[in-house]
């Protein structure tokens, strides 16, 4: 492709590739569980952005944190009878093996929450100094009303989401039930660290804020995560960062990956309807699973069924058959790249590659690791 004609990658209307590096942050897993298809979808989509930007000549850095300070992790480690640090390290090892199996490139940065506790304390202190947060009974809270309003949520929805994602509405130390802890008093038997407000531990959103600021400074190009993290997690993460640094926006673009459902409810351990990424790769192939995850709009929810995987495997086979044919069409390849660069239109890129075959199909399997 001639210089100057390389398309620029846009996501949700934001031009990601401007000059130099593209900084991507994706909320990582809480390492207490096997990688399910919902996790796989998020990380394979981020991997697709990474690979497409590289193909377009960008310098990409991906930061995928490890949330190894979390209630569910403490509880799971206790059930397993081990120290949470060791338990988390073993689970993280399995997660990384699953990412390898799915062909996800290793991130440039992989911060672990337990290492960033001093940075969360600094963040909480900065928010207090600016009058953006308040201290109460040994915890530090960020007021939630403005954050919910900014996210366009009414009161009932905000309360429901805070409750759904582990926030205690009845915490007596809060001024408002939807306020979220930047720093919180540790529960019985949970690990605790020293702070100016007494022993405690970081709030979930504050962990990501501290890790993102520590990795990239006050702003980034793309923040990604599952659509279920939109509120309260991402909204508070951004609000805290912006209040502490004064730099707006914290993220130039957001990528919220559509929820994977199993005939209705969201796939989640608490619902008990998990489909594991590893099992699907063993039943089919990494290329078939990646095709299933990517051959759709990234932001739409969808239902997993074995038939969806079979159809994806057939489409993946078709792509490989097409790749075995002769021919190379520069205009078709440019159309494939333009589809990928324009809000990651993988279905269109695949359709073109299947029709053209040859080098165009071979290059698409490489770019998306299909
Ligand atoms: Zn996060």
């Amino acid at each position: 492709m001639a210089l100057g004609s390389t398309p620029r990658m846009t996501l949700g209307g934001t031009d990601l590739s401007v000059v130099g590096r593209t900084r991507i942050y994706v909320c990582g897993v809480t390492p207490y569980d096997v990688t399910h298809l919902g996790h796989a979808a998020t990380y394979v989509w981020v991997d697709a952005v990474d690979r497409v930007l590289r193909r377009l000549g960008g310098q990409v850095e991906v930061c995928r944190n490890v949330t190894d300070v979390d209630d569910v992790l403490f509880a799971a480690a206790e059930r397993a009878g081990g120290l949470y640090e060791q338990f988390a390290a073993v689970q993280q090892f399995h997660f990384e093996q699953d990412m390898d199996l799915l062909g996800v490139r290793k991130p440039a940065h992989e911060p672990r929450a337990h290492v960033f506790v001093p940075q969360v304390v600094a963040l909480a202190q900065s928010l207090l100094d600016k009058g953006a947060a308040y201290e109460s009974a040994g915890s530090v809270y960020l007021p939630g009303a403005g954050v919910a309003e900014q996210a366009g949520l009414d009161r009932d929805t905000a309360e429901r989401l805070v409750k759904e994602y582990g926030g205690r509405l009845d915490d007596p130390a809060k001024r408002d039930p939807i306020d979220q802890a930047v720093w919180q008093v540790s529960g019985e038997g949970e690990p605790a660290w020293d702070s100016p407000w007494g022993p405690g531990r970081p709030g979930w959103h504050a962990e990501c804020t501290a890790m993102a600021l520590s990795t990239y400074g006050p702003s980034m190009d793309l923040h990604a995560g599952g659509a279920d993290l939109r509120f309260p997690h991402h909204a508070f993460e951004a609000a805290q960062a912006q209040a502490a640094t004064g730099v707006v926006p914290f993220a130039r673009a957001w990528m919220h990956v559509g929820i994977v459902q199993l005939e209705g409810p969201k796939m989640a351990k608490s619902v008990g309807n998990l489909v594991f990424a590893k099992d699907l790769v063993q039943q089919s192939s990494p290329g078939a699973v990646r095709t299933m995850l990517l051959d759709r709009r990234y932001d739409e929810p969808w239902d997993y069924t074995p038939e969806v995987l079979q159809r994806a495997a057939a489409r993946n086979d078709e792509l490989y058959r097409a790749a075995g044919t002769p021919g190379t069409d520069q205009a078709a390849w440019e159309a494939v790249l333009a589809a990928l660069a324009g809000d990651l239109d993988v279905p269109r890129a695949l359709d073109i590659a299947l029709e053209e075959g040859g080098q165009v199909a071979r290059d698409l399997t490489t770019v998306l690791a299909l």
Side-chain angles (χ1 to χ4, degrees), residues 27 208 233 237:
C27 291
C208 273
H233 186 57
E237 197 189 318

Side-chain angles (χ1 to χ4, degrees), residues 149-283:
E149 196 184 324
Q150 184 85 32
L153 300 177
D154 61 43
R155 184 81 208 171
D156 288 351
T157 310
E159 284 195 12
R160 179 176 58 74
L161 289 171
V162 163
K163 194 170 173 205
E164 194 176 331
Y165 293 100
R168 278 185 52 203
L169 293 175
D170 61 352
D171 178 351
K174 289 181 182 179
R175 290 181 190 160
D176 178 337
I178 62 169
D179 295 349
Q180 296 281 282
V182 182
W183 182 261
Q184 64 195 58
V185 176
S186 296
E188 179 113 8
E190 288 178 352
W193 289 263
D194 286 335
S195 84
W197 318 285
R201 65 185 184 86
W204 172 33
H205 323 311
E207 289 176 350
C208 273
T209 307
M211 287 186 272
L213 294 179
S214 300
T215 305
Y216 291 137
S219 70
M220 66 179 79
D221 299 287
L222 176 67
H223 194 311
D228 53 338
L229 295 182
R230 201 185 289 265
F231 187 91
H233 186 57
H234 287 164
F236 277 82
E237 197 189 318
Q240 282 162 178
Q242 290 173 180
T245 67
V247 175
V248 180
F250 169 57
R252 295 175 54 232
W254 291 85
M255 180 189 213
H256 285 113
V257 175
I259 296 298
V260 185
Q261 304 162 122
L262 197 58
E263 294 174 64
K266 178 182 98 171
M267 203 169 282
K269 187 167 171 97
S270 53
V271 186
N273 62 345
L274 300 182
V275 172
F276 298 121
K278 193 175 168 184
D279 295 343
L280 297 188
V281 170
Q282 279 161 1
Q283 283 164 31

